[in-house]
Amino acid sequence: MRYAPAVLLTAALVTATLSGCASAPAEGAACVEPGDASNQVSVSGKFGSEPSVDMPTPLYTPAPQVSTAIEGDGTRLKGTEVVELSWTLYNGRTGEQIFATDYDDPQAASPTGMLPGMADALACHTVGSRLVATITPDKGFGKAGNPMYGVKPNDTLVMVIDIEEAYLGKANGISMPVVQPGFPSVAVAPDGTPGLTIPNSDAPTKSKSALLQLGSGDKVEKSDTVLAQIQQASWNSQSITSSTWSDGSPKTIPMQEAPTELTAALDGTPVGSQVIVLVPTDDGDATIFVIDVLGIL
């Protein structure tokens, strides 16, 4: 199966070097307020381009703080959305830059794919904004710091974040009854993660799909590229084989390149919908796809 990953943060920053991933903030997550530390970071430059940053060093923050350098006029975030961001990360102790994204190619990720303090910083702010976040160690790399990047256990992280775009974090459509027999049952956790109950029967020998939630957004067309949360499972082993919900990086599905079973299921489906697709494999198994349509790129 060919998918294009929409990875926001490098794996070294958000998975391999962290003791745990962020959990998605609850609906209506508390806003992180500005403070003395975040207000001491001076930022210049245009939104969507790498900033020039000046800060006193060493800079430490007693609690997470977020100041707004540029106020956008787009959608206000709850902190649960999938977002396209450009950002630069600094060590508050030294003022040195740790990492910067490619500002010409912002990528999408969900809150579970971000540093916890980064995910917390987004709530209550608008698309088009540039934020300055000062992040405490427990909301950054944890108690060990990050020796690879020269971050000590007590170092404050400073992050300048440009919120480029926002999409749904999960399907938000109306639940639809599945009248066709032979499908796994799907139960959705509050954060959107699907749970599967797979029948103890032979795997299907023909592909089929069903609509689990009907969204109200724009309808997917065959020429589109779809941003989606995807959970993939094996019928015979009754196990999850891959999930964007766990790795924190939604994927893009180019309709003109995707397998025909998926394009047939997604064509005409509104944004906000959830679909289930069963695709038989040559070894007598079947792959189960549960897809949340988050947006059209």
Side-chain angles (χ1 to χ4, degrees), residues 65-242:
Q65 299 175 5
V66 179
S67 297
T68 303
I70 298 173
E71 180 72 36
D73 59 3
T75 302
R76 189 167 298 277
L77 304 181
K78 297 178 181 178
T80 58
E81 297 86 352
V82 167
V83 286
E84 284 185 358
L85 304 175
S86 299
W87 53 273
T88 307
L89 183 67
Y90 302 86
N91 187 327
R93 175 175 52 83
T94 65
E96 294 179 355
Q97 184 184 110
I98 297 172
F99 186 84
T101 61
D102 181 354
Y103 278 76
D104 292 329
D105 187 25
Q107 299 293 306
S110 58
T112 55
M114 304 176 194
L115 295 171
M118 183 181 187
D120 293 345
L122 299 176
C124 309
H125 294 284
T126 53
V127 172
S129 294
R130 168 169 282 181
L131 309 178
V132 178
T134 53
I135 300 171
T136 52
D138 62 311
K139 294 288 188 176
F141 292 116
K143 295 179 180 179
N146 191 320
M148 182 188 302
Y149 294 102
V151 178
K152 295 183 178 181
N154 294 325
D155 287 350
T156 288
L157 298 177
V158 177
M159 183 173 279
V160 179
I161 308 167
D162 288 2
I163 308 174
E164 304 272 1
E165 189 54 89
Y167 304 93
L168 296 175
K170 61 182 179 181
N172 65 350
I174 300 170
S175 296
M176 303 293 291
V178 178
V179 296
Q180 296 173 267
F183 280 93
S185 62
V186 179
V188 178
D191 68 354
T193 305
L196 289 171
T197 301
I198 302 171
N200 291 314
S201 58
D202 292 340
T205 57
K206 294 183 179 179
S207 65
K208 55 184 178 179
S209 64
L211 185 65
L212 301 179
Q213 294 183 45
L214 176 62
S216 58
D218 294 338
K219 292 184 178 180
V220 174
E221 298 181 359
K222 291 182 179 179
S223 59
D224 288 334
T225 295
V226 178
L227 182 68
Q229 298 277 21
I230 305 173
Q231 187 177 88
Q232 192 168 324
S234 162
W235 184 288
N236 287 347
S237 67
Q238 299 200 346
S239 63
I240 305 299
T241 56
S242 67

